[in-house]
């Protein structure tokens, strides 16, 4: 529940165009629940909004699961 609350709070900050605080909230959400796809997507979205394309792409690559053989 706390993870979802932090993602929602990050969304509010994005809507207020406060991307620094939005990123802080998204990172807190990930620290609470590092398997949350919603938190990861939010952080990636914020990175893209901030123009940090390389960081967002790296996070996407890191989040991808490797299929087992």
């Amino acid at each position: 529940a706390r993870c979802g609350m932090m993602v929602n709070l990050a969304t509010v900050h994005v809507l207020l165009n406060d991307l620094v605080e939005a990123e802080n909230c998204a990172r807190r959400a990930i620290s609470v629940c590092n398997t949350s796809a919603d938190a990861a997507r939010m952080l990636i979205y914020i990175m893209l909004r901030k123009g940090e394309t390389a960081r967002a792409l790296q996070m996407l690559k890191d989040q991808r699961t490797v299929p087992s053989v």
Side-chain angles (χ1 to χ4, degrees), residues 1-4 6 25-36 39:
R2 185 166 181 211
C3 182
M6 294 309 297
C25 291
R27 289 191 182 281
R28 276 184 268 167
I30 289 172
S31 73
V32 170
C33 180
N34 64 357
T35 60
S36 170

Side-chain angles (χ1 to χ4, degrees), residues 57-69:
L57 183 59
Q58 186 60 49
M59 187 168 180
L60 276 172
K61 288 178 182 177
D62 293 343
Q63 294 293 318
R64 246 189 338 199
T65 56
V66 178
S68 58
V69 177

Side-chain angles (χ1 to χ4, degrees), residues 41 43 50 52 58:
R41 278 192 298 266
L43 183 55
K50 291 172 69 178
E52 299 171 354
Q58 186 60 49

Side-chain angles (χ1 to χ4, degrees), residues 1-23:
R2 185 166 181 211
C3 182
M5 181 187 70
M6 294 309 297
V7 172
N8 289 339
L9 189 56
T11 302
V12 169
H13 285 291
V14 167
L15 292 172
L16 295 172
N17 208 30
D18 183 359
L19 299 180
V20 172
E21 191 56 34
E23 182 173 348

